[in-house]
Amino acid sequence: MGKGKILVTGGTGYIGSHTVVELCNAGYEPIIIDNLSNSNINVLEGIKTITGHPVTYENIDCKDYNSLERFLEKHSEIVAIAHFAASKSVGESVNNPLLYYRNNILSLINLLQLMAKFNIKNIVFSSSCTVYGQADVLPVTEQTPIKPASSPYGSTKQMCETILQDAAFANKDLNAILLRYFNPIGAHPSAEIGELPNGIPNNLLPYITQTAAGIRKELSVFGDDYNTPDGSCIRDYINVVDLAKAHVVALNRMVEGQNKKNIEIFNLGTGEGVSVLEIIRTFEKATGVKVPYKIAPRRAGDIEKVWADTSYANKELGWKAETSLEDTLLSAWNWQKKLAEKNLGN
Ligand code: UFG
């Protein structure tokens, strides 16, 4: 007997696809909906290779209430939703805010309305450490004050958190776990799935692996004059498989009725702050491949430093990030090499 069906929105995306694999490993039956706006259908092949069987998938846009409703009519007995489907580029959100408000807010509202209609009680939501902005005190705990968002993307994450809190207050049958991700990096150790950036990467890790592969000439390190030990920005880089496993734990918690409140929030990070220059050095050490880089001006909107206090997640969820930074960076590199073989690299 399986543990039940989990609807995974955005299940062909970066974090969604890794979570689908971990859900299969844990005995759940994930069913994926995705509009492929920022992912590739080939991801389903990678998932199948890892898990040994195909996963149900339908091309559905969560903004489309009617399609979503028809889909849920067909799939009864969904025990929970893992909601990943959202737009996630900070820069794009500044240039196209309405796209972000429409995609990220409307999708969540549609899901919540339909959860009530179809009596689906549990949802895990992908939030972000972006909600903290530049915190005054580090590391950040779940109680750290929320600062005004610095981008429309960040606003959507804050608004979605508020929507979930209000919905859970009004409907005590609804259980929601909000997971605030720090910086997810790396790929599945099999190199069958990983991050698939569209065009020139915005994020550090895909830019590093593409530079190491010779696709990009050099990496720009955005600023070396921050108030940090080596002058470059500090983040908390969390392995994507470790992150995916936290979703399984969160879903188990709600499905088994172990949650202490009907809305709970957890930081998902390693608890370690690592600078951009340290990431480059560790990548070179782990892979033996050089990453040419230059120091460039600061990037607008970047915060100086942030890392997580993960003690609440460690204690309450019994979850901890386990993979070393070296192994995570090596997995990202192996995935980059696999992409070249599959001809999917940029
Ligand atoms: N960086 C570089 N060069 C690059 C790319 C990034 O030096 O080419 C630096 C950035 O300045 C930053 C660090 O690498 O210091 C990490 O940058 P990312 O773009 O990889 O990640 P961010 O921390 O800016 O953003 C991530 C997610 C967002 C989320 C945010 C929360 O991509 O979705 O964390 O802080 F909102």
Side-chain angles (χ1 to χ4, degrees):
M1 255 304 271
K3 285 165 79 175
K5 285 186 198 169
I6 309 281
L7 174 63
V8 185
T9 76
T12 60
Y14 176 41
I15 303 168
S17 58
H18 289 80
T19 303
V20 165
V21 167
E22 295 310 318
L23 285 169
C24 291
N25 290 344
Y28 283 107
E29 184 193 339
I31 52 178
I32 298 175
I33 57 174
D34 203 306
N35 66 357
L36 303 178
S37 62
N38 191 25
S39 60
N40 190 303
I41 191 77
N42 294 331
V43 167
L44 296 174
E45 277 307 306
I47 293 172
K48 187 174 159 195
T49 307
I50 299 169
T51 62
H53 56 81
V55 172
T56 304
Y57 159 80
E58 207 166 305
N59 188 322
I60 287 183
D61 187 330
C62 293
K63 295 193 298 300
D64 182 347
Y65 184 91
N66 293 334
S67 307
L68 208 47
E69 185 177 39
R70 277 196 299 277
F71 179 85
L72 290 172
E73 268 159 12
K74 280 190 302 194
H75 293 274
S76 56
E77 294 165 19
I78 288 173
V79 295
I81 297 179
H83 180 40
F84 297 98
S87 300
K88 63 167 187 177
S89 162
V90 174
E92 186 186 41
S93 79
V94 174
N95 296 324
N96 200 348
L98 299 185
L99 175 86
Y100 273 66
Y101 289 115
R102 201 173 157 72
N103 277 352
N104 296 3
I105 310 281
L106 190 53
S107 298
L108 178 65
I109 293 173
N110 283 345
L111 279 173
L112 288 171
Q113 285 186 324
L114 288 165
M115 284 173 76
K117 173 160 185 191
F118 290 97
N119 201 24
I120 302 170
K121 294 194 160 59
N122 309 310
I123 183 167
V124 170
F125 175 71
S126 305
S127 191
S128 164
C129 69
T130 197
V131 300
Y132 299 116
Q134 181 56 71
D136 299 325
V137 180
L138 291 168
V140 294
T141 73
E142 290 79 358
Q143 274 71 49
T144 294
I146 302 294
K147 293 265 178 83
S150 59
S151 70
Y153 161 77
S155 284
T156 67
K157 290 295 170 192
Q158 292 184 348
M159 287 176 189
C160 285
E161 286 203 359
T162 304
I163 289 168
L164 281 158
Q165 273 158 349
D166 291 346
F169 181 79
N171 173 9
K172 300 292 180 225
D173 281 341
L174 175 69
N175 298 303
I177 294 187
L178 284 49
L179 300 177
R180 291 181 179 156
Y181 310 155
F182 283 68
N183 285 53
I185 59 166
H188 194 269
S190 65
E192 290 295 337
I193 54 172
E195 192 168 5
L196 263 181
N198 234 335
I200 302 173
N202 291 312
N203 295 119
L204 180 63
L205 245 291
Y207 210 105
I208 286 182
T209 57
Q210 290 194 7
T211 306
I215 300 167
R216 312 276 158 215
K217 190 168 138 272
E218 63 186 354
L219 169 77
S220 293
V221 172
F222 296 138
D224 69 346
D225 56 353
Y226 284 100
N227 181 24
T228 59
D230 65 21
S232 63
C233 290
I234 293 179
R235 297 285 183 276
D236 183 336
Y237 294 92
I238 163 100
N239 177 280
V240 68
V241 176
D242 286 343
L243 187 69
K245 287 179 178 166
H247 292 75
V248 177
V249 177
L251 288 162
N252 282 341
R253 183 174 170 93
M254 290 186 288
V255 170
E256 292 164 7
Q258 302 294 322
N259 46 326
K260 297 212 168 126
K261 289 182 287 182
N262 75 328
I263 181 132
E264 296 183 311
I265 301 179
F266 296 98
N267 281 344
L268 295 183
T270 64
E272 297 283 331
V274 180
S275 76
V276 176
L277 291 170
E278 283 171 329
I279 288 280
I280 297 171
R281 264 199 307 279
T282 313
F283 180 89
E284 290 180 337
K285 189 160 156 264
T287 63
V289 183
K290 276 265 165 234
V291 181
Y293 71 88
K294 63 170 186 206
I295 304 297
R298 291 180 176 197
R299 182 171 70 176
D302 265 343
I303 56 164
E304 184 168 86
K305 50 192 166 199
V306 66
W307 64 94
D309 181 329
T310 60
S311 45
Y312 186 57
N314 299 156
K315 181 169 150 280
E316 269 303 315
L317 296 178
W319 167 91
K320 203 171 181 345
E322 283 169 350
T323 316
S324 70
L325 183 59
E326 285 79 3
D327 284 351
T328 302
L329 294 172
L330 195 55
S331 73
W333 178 233
N334 289 336
W335 167 242
Q336 178 66 52
K337 288 191 289 185
K338 189 69 161 270
L339 276 180
E341 276 169 37
K342 290 187 176 187
N343 240 336
L344 282 169
N346 288 279

